[in-house]
């Protein structure tokens, strides 16, 4: 039985937040921040659900509003939780566990905090949690998510505020783990990002045959198979590390892996939140993504996955969601009714933005609540979470969902002054602190620089990278023939960061598709979203209605050509390229552009498609090959042998070219000693001056700043007729050497049988001019050195 130790020192302790095992002392310390609480009790539980606490301890309040306790015999695997009292519900002697109204005065205190001792709370700093409010564990224990409600609404025959949740609430897990994560790769200046979802990556049955599928694909002999029991897990993802290396990528960006509130479990689909953008615990890895669900199992398995990627030279970047949480907002629009299971129960006004009438705000997030980053406690939680995932879990970088929320100051204006509330502060202390933490610990921070209140591309402080939404929009338009030539050239060249004082130190992520929106192949296959179709490709709500997409007139060959244009543009543009898992072989979601809720076989990566010249004619589910669901045949039959997917051949060639040629890594605008560099020049096809708007053909001259690299000409023709491109004279770099331009890429349909790509040594010499076919791009290369 755990028991207290050194109780007289608790109030003066400086223990870190969360639960920490001290091997030297043989104790476990517990600390939680609850600045407005009047009493906090630590409880120890024997099981995750169905049991009452077996021990409880009144914690001591410190001068910094942190409540602390220390126990012996509460080591690794111990389950714990908290109860809080406040001025709205003071502690009285006749309060009892099991559901009591003793001491109740109101549902909120004067600051809008919802203290309720009947509602058991999980530690915001817990390294793992047992389950989530929406998980089946709650239902199997005889309750449901509604039991976590607090306020005047009824639960059965009683007000919800009087219902005790001890037997059903999530519990924190004490974790003590020293699994190594391997040596971190040096990705400086050579980052290419592969965005993926842990489950979608390997949950499809085809992942168990991956070695057989990819074994005969040139360069992919080291790819391994995923054991059945590891499908859709961290361990399954780890088996994909050799595949990413063979494909030519140096970083994987994982969609949220923090513990999220969801009713999806394994391969079983639920009703909501498959993507994971509803974070419940910012230090805990998602237990559902782990094959090892024992205490400490998810932590250990996540670290082993990181090491597998590190061993292959691949960085691990996490998509993190700090702008809102899974706790939701006011139930039924009632200011007294909430369903807090963690942060909000320790201090609603400390962690969330409230209106003047103390209702929760979600204006910038659209997700029922919005985190208050005027609060030092909320800011510290972000910094502590990043530090933990970087130092203990081995993560190399973070992408911040709806990042402008982290730069908003709710306390800097009246809560009902909405225009002032929407103001973005580039010098916000959280943004600068995150940047400083990243610089000191050598990890990347990347903003999704927009939310529902603003579009802040280019406005984040020095040291932050940004998703470049302007590049996405400009490229989609130009590559479907809109003729927005100057806008496309500017974004291809990273002009939006060119003139800032920190332009040489800013990184931007170029992408044409991401997890939210059409896949890269659906972008050339559909005019409108197809979200309300039956399973497994729908139904899903939401999704962008203005996608800048075109179905290519239903022409399969043109679709494949335009897909190649998209892929090539992302990799040759100035900046860091990012694509979505499965784009490399033509993955489709049948036109659904917002499948946030779908944990289905239609959304999982079908790896059989990577080695087929008819990928969208394969069964969606190989277990039901005849009468099961079907893909829309958006790819058609490619001009290749039956066991070859020429899309993958092309994708691999381009990704490796970007990875291996230092001349294609023009990230900053300032060269050696701060001298401005301009390696990208845009000319008309005849080389006579710069292109104008409306001209749908242009030459991009890419100058090799690095002496080891090649010069490139990217000849872009978005006209409906062939265009001749003149080639500039190549100067002699060596005596008696005759330099030659050679065509190494042509995205047109005629070259599909040859993979649309050639090594420089086998490529065709081009003398004075080259004709590029309609809707196609050619790349002409000079000798290296």
């Amino acid at each position: 039985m755990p028991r207290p130790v050194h109780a007289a020192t608790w109030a003066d302790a400086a223990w870190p937040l969360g639960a920490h095992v001290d091997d030297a002392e043989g104790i476990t310390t517990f600390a939680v921040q609850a600045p407005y609480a009047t009493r906090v009790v630590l409880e120890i539980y024997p099981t995750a659900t169905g049991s009452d606490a077996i021990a409880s301890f009144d914690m001591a309040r410190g001068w910094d509003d942190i409540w602390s306790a220390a126990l012996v015999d509460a080591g690794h695997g111990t389950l714990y939780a908290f109860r809080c009292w406040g001025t709205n519900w003071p502690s009285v002697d006749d309060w009892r566990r099991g559901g009591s109204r003793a001491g109740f005065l109101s549902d909120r205190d004067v600051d809008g905090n919802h203290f309720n001792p009947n509602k058991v709370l999980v530690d915001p700093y817990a390294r793992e949690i047992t389950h989530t409010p929406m998980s089946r564990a709650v239902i199997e224990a005889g309750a449901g998510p509604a039991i976590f409600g607090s306020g005047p609404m009824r639960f059965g025959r009683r007000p919800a505020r009087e219902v005790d949740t001890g037997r059903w609430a999530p519990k924190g897990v004490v974790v003590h783990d020293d699994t190594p994560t391997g040596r971190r790769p040096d990705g400086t200046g050579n980052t290419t990002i592969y965005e993926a979802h842990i489950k979608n990556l390997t949950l499809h049955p085809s992942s168990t045959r991956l070695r057989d599928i990819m074994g005969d694909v040139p360069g992919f002999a080291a790819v391994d198979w995923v054991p059945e029991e590891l499908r859709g897990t961290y361990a399954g993802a780890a088996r994909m590390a050799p595949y990413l290396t063979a494909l030519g990528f140096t970083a994987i960006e994982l969609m949220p892996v923090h513990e999220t509130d969801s009713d999806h479990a394994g391969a079983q689909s639920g009703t909501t939140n498959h993507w994971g953008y509803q974070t419940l615990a910012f230090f805990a890895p998602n237990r559902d993504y782990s094959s090892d669900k024992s205490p400490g199992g998810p932590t250990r398995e996540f670290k082993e996955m990181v090491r597998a990627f590190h061993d292959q030279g691949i960085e691990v970047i996490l998509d993190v969601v700090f702008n809102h949480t899974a706790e939701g907002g006011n139930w039924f629009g009632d200011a007294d009714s909430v369903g807090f299971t963690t942060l909000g129960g320790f201090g609603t006004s400390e962690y969330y933005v409230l209106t003047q009438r103390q209702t929760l705000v979600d204006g910038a997030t659209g997700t029922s609540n919005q985190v208050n980053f005027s609060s030092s406690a909320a800011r510290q939680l972000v910094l502590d979470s990043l530090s933990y995932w970087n130092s203990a879990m081995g993560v190399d970088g973070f992408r911040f969902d709806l990042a402008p929320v982290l730069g908003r100051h709710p306390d800097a204006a009246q809560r009902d002054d909405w225009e002032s509330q929407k103001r973005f502060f580039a010098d916000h202390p959280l943004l600068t602190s995150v940047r400083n933490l990243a610089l000191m610990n050598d990890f990347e921070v990347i903003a999704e620089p927009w939310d529902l209140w603003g579009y802040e591309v280019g406005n984040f402080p020095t040291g932050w990278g940004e998703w470049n939404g302007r590049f996405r929009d400009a490229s989609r338009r130009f590559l479907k023939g809109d003729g927005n030539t100057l806008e496309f050239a500017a974004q291809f060249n990273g002009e939006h960061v060119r003139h800032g004082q920190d332009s040489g130190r800013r990184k931007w992520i170029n992408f044409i598709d991401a997890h939210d929106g059409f896949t890269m192949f659906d972008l050339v296959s559909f005019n409108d979203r197809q979200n309300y179709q039956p399973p497994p490709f729908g139904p899903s709500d939401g999704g962008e209605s203005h996608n800048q997409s075109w179905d290519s007139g239903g022409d399969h060959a043109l679709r494949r050509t335009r897909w190649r244009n998209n892929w090539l543009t992302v990799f040759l543009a100035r900046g860091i390229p990012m694509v979505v898992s499965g784009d490399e072989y033509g993955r489709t979601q049948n036109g659904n552009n917002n499948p946030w809720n779908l944990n289905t076989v239609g959304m999982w990566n079908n790896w059989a498609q990577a080695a087929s010249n008819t990928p969208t004619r394969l069964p969606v589910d190989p277990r039901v090959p005849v009468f099961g669901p079907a893909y829309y045949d958006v790819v058609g039959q490619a001009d290749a042998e039956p066991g070859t997917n020429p899309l993958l051949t092309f994708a691999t060639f381009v990704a490796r070219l970007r990875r291996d040629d230092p001349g294609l890594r023009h990230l900053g605008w300032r060269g050696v000693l701060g001298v401005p560099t301009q390696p990208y020049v845009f000319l008309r096809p005849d080389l006579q001056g710069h292109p104008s708007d409306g001209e749908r053909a242009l030459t991009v001259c890419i100058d090799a700043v690095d002496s080891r690299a090649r010069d490139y000409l990217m000849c872009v023709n978005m006209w409906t007729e062939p265009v001749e491109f003149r080639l500039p004279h190549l100067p002699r770099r060596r005596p008696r050497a005759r330099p030659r331009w050679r065509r190494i890429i042509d995205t047109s349909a005629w070259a599909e049988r040859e993979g649309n790509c050639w090594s420089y040594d086998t490529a065709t010499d081009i003398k004075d001019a080259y004709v590029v076919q309609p809707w196609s791009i050619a790349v002409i290369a000079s000798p290296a050195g």
Side-chain angles (χ1 to χ4, degrees):
M1 181 69 69
R3 59 190 187 278
V5 63
H6 309 315
T9 67
W10 291 1
D12 298 320
W15 297 318
L17 292 167
H20 298 269
V21 176
D22 185 332
D23 286 325
E25 295 289 333
I27 64 173
T28 301
T29 62
F30 298 83
V32 66
Q33 191 149 31
Y36 302 105
T38 57
R39 182 189 179 197
V40 178
V41 167
L42 166 66
E43 296 187 327
I44 305 298
Y45 285 82
T47 59
T49 60
S51 301
D52 294 322
I54 57 173
S56 64
F57 309 92
D58 271 271
M59 304 181 78
R61 183 180 199 145
W63 62 268
D64 53 1
D65 295 325
I66 292 176
W67 299 74
S68 302
L71 307 179
V72 294
D73 294 329
H76 178 82
T78 298
L79 307 185
Y80 70 101
F82 302 96
R83 296 181 189 262
C84 288
W85 287 256
T87 56
N88 65 302
W89 199 316
S91 177
V92 295
D93 291 341
D94 55 346
W95 181 89
R96 296 289 184 273
R97 290 175 180 81
S100 172
R101 72 183 311 274
F104 171 75
L105 299 178
S106 62
D107 288 298
R108 291 172 285 143
D109 67 14
V110 295
D111 296 307
N113 297 296
H114 293 252
F115 292 111
N116 184 341
N118 292 317
K119 303 301 175 180
V120 168
L121 304 173
V122 68
D123 182 3
Y125 279 66
R127 281 3 186 199
E128 287 182 11
I129 65 174
T130 55
H131 60 282
T132 68
M134 292 185 66
S135 69
R136 291 196 59 82
V138 176
I139 297 172
E140 291 168 356
I147 198 170
F148 301 107
S150 177
M153 72 279 195
R154 309 297 289 185
F155 183 87
R157 298 181 179 181
R158 307 172 66 182
R161 70 172 73 91
E162 298 177 13
V163 178
D164 193 288
T165 60
R167 296 182 180 182
W168 299 276
K171 314 301 188 301
V173 182
V174 175
V175 174
H176 190 47
D177 181 85
D178 57 2
T179 302
T181 58
R183 183 176 180 179
R184 293 177 181 170
D186 179 12
T188 305
N190 192 26
T191 303
T192 50
I193 299 175
Y194 188 86
E195 188 190 30
H197 185 284
I198 286 289
K199 279 192 177 182
N200 291 358
L201 194 60
T202 64
L203 201 44
H204 194 275
S206 60
S207 68
T208 64
R209 300 187 298 107
L210 198 57
R211 181 188 296 169
D212 297 333
I213 292 169
M214 303 300 298
D216 293 331
V217 178
F220 287 83
V223 172
D224 207 350
W225 56 287
V226 178
E228 176 71 26
E229 67 274 13
L230 301 184
R231 288 170 46 216
T233 67
Y234 303 123
R239 310 280 285 213
M240 299 300 298
Y243 172 83
L244 263 68
T245 298
L247 188 58
F249 282 80
T250 64
I252 185 168
E253 181 176 307
L254 297 173
M255 291 169 67
V257 300
H258 292 167
E259 190 66 76
T260 186
D261 197 11
S262 176
D263 58 353
H264 297 271
Q268 179 180 342
S269 188
T271 59
T272 184
N273 186 28
H274 169 57
W275 279 354
Y277 289 88
Q278 291 287 354
T279 301
L280 188 68
F282 294 96
F283 295 78
N286 192 324
R287 185 170 296 277
D288 187 38
Y289 295 171
S290 180
S291 64
D292 182 354
K293 293 180 169 55
S294 66
T299 299
R300 181 171 54 255
E301 189 170 313
F302 181 91
K303 290 181 176 182
E304 290 170 346
M305 176 196 71
V306 170
R307 179 163 188 169
F309 283 117
H310 283 176
D311 287 348
Q312 289 286 326
I314 296 170
E315 296 177 284
V316 177
I317 300 170
L318 298 188
D319 195 337
V320 290
V321 187
F322 292 111
N323 61 84
H324 72 280
T325 78
E327 292 196 282
N330 296 109
W331 290 22
F332 310 110
D334 177 15
D336 287 331
S337 300
V338 292
F340 295 139
T341 55
T342 180
L343 289 173
F346 290 104
T348 314
S349 63
E350 187 73 10
Y351 291 106
Y352 294 114
V353 182
L354 302 177
T355 65
Q356 292 285 75
R357 54 184 293 265
Q358 298 180 347
T359 57
L360 283 96
V361 170
D362 72 344
T365 68
T367 54
S368 299
N369 65 53
Q370 186 169 316
V371 177
N372 175 16
F373 289 116
S374 286
S375 159
S376 60
R379 296 196 300 267
Q380 194 61 49
L381 181 140
V382 173
L383 297 172
D384 290 344
S385 175
L386 298 176
S387 294
Y388 174 72
W389 285 93
N390 171 246
S391 63
M393 304 292 273
V395 171
D396 306 290
F398 303 89
R399 177 265 188 189
F400 294 74
D401 180 66
L402 301 183
V405 173
L406 280 67
R408 302 202 191 278
H409 238 321
D411 290 352
Q414 294 295 318
R415 290 300 174 89
D416 57 355
D417 182 355
W418 293 109
E419 288 307 310
S420 296
Q421 285 290 325
K422 294 177 182 179
R423 183 181 172 190
F424 174 75
F425 295 84
D427 60 350
H428 193 288
L430 179 56
L431 297 182
T432 56
S433 294
V434 168
R435 182 267 318 276
N436 294 342
L437 183 68
L439 289 174
M440 288 187 294
N441 294 279
D442 193 27
F443 62 81
E444 300 290 342
V445 288
I446 302 166
E448 180 187 35
W450 53 81
D451 61 15
L452 300 185
W453 276 352
Y455 196 76
E456 304 296 342
V457 174
N459 293 334
F460 275 72
T462 304
W464 277 80
E466 295 179 7
W467 271 23
N468 188 359
R470 292 190 178 119
F471 173 89
R472 173 199 59 202
D473 298 340
S475 297
R476 287 185 178 190
R477 290 186 58 214
F478 185 78
L479 295 175
K480 71 182 183 70
D482 281 11
N484 55 319
T485 311
L486 298 183
E487 180 190 26
F488 170 74
Q491 292 306 318
F492 194 91
N493 202 21
E495 289 278 355
H496 74 288
V497 296
R498 178 179 182 181
H499 302 292
Q501 292 182 352
D502 64 337
S503 57
R505 299 185 300 275
R506 185 183 294 277
K507 297 181 180 180
W508 59 100
I509 315 303
N510 292 329
F511 64 103
I512 280 181
D513 69 323
H515 64 272
D516 50 349
F518 281 141
T519 68
M520 190 176 287
F521 211 96
D522 282 355
L523 193 63
V524 299
S525 304
F526 296 91
N527 294 328
D528 301 297
R529 60 190 175 185
Q530 309 291 317
N531 293 3
Y532 294 100
Q533 54 187 300
F537 294 101
S540 301
D541 59 357
E544 177 60 56
S545 58
H546 303 288
N547 295 283
Q548 303 293 347
S549 62
W550 173 41
D551 70 355
S552 310
D555 185 327
H556 285 133
L558 179 56
R559 285 176 177 171
R560 297 193 298 273
T561 294
R562 294 185 60 230
W563 172 90
R564 287 186 283 267
N565 296 342
N566 286 341
W567 185 275
L568 182 63
T569 297
V570 169
F571 277 86
L572 293 194
R574 188 174 192 153
I576 295 173
M578 184 188 79
V579 300
V580 179
S581 175
D583 279 344
E584 68 271 20
Y585 58 75
R587 177 176 168 267
T588 179
Q589 294 172 170
N590 274 13
N592 189 329
N593 74 349
N594 196 45
W596 65 280
N597 59 320
L598 299 180
N599 177 32
T600 65
V601 68
M603 296 301 141
W604 305 334
N605 284 44
N606 185 346
W607 295 106
Q609 295 179 314
S612 171
N613 68 332
T614 56
T616 49
R617 295 179 186 175
L618 298 180
V620 174
D621 189 342
R623 299 165 299 190
V624 192
V626 179
F627 298 107
Y631 297 108
Y632 294 142
D633 186 20
V634 293
V635 176
Q637 181 171 334
D639 186 10
E641 295 300 321
T644 298
N645 185 328
L647 303 181
L648 180 67
T649 302
F650 181 82
T652 302
F653 179 87
V654 173
R656 291 177 182 175
L657 180 69
R658 169 60 170 72
R659 180 192 65 189
D660 298 337
D661 192 331
L664 294 175
R665 303 176 202 156
H666 300 296
L667 299 182
W669 269 99
R670 309 223 177 262
V672 179
L673 301 178
V675 177
T677 62
Q678 190 171 352
Y680 284 43
V681 177
F682 299 82
L683 298 172
R684 292 190 175 98
D686 60 6
L687 305 181
Q688 301 302 306
H690 301 293
S692 302
D693 257 356
E695 297 186 33
R696 289 160 52 183
L698 75 158
T699 299
V700 184
C701 305
I702 304 176
D703 182 19
V705 175
D706 192 299
S707 61
R708 301 165 296 167
R710 304 181 188 278
D711 295 326
Y712 294 96
L713 301 177
M714 182 177 174
C715 306
V716 183
N717 178 20
M718 294 299 109
W719 287 109
T720 56
E721 300 294 333
V723 172
E724 181 181 81
F725 287 78
R726 304 296 298 177
L727 308 186
H729 174 70
L730 273 175
R732 291 180 182 267
R733 296 183 180 180
R734 300 170 186 168
R736 293 190 297 274
R738 188 181 67 175
R740 297 187 178 98
W741 288 111
R742 292 184 178 179
R743 181 209 60 220
I744 62 168
I745 291 173
D746 191 321
T747 66
S748 182
W750 72 264
E752 191 169 60
R753 170 64 60 168
E754 301 178 52
N756 300 94
C757 54
W758 303 265
S759 69
Y760 185 84
D761 292 339
T762 62
T764 301
D765 286 355
I766 308 297
K767 292 185 178 179
D768 300 316
Y770 186 77
V771 176
V772 179
Q773 298 304 307
W775 299 108
S776 299
I777 301 175
V779 177
I780 317 295
S782 76

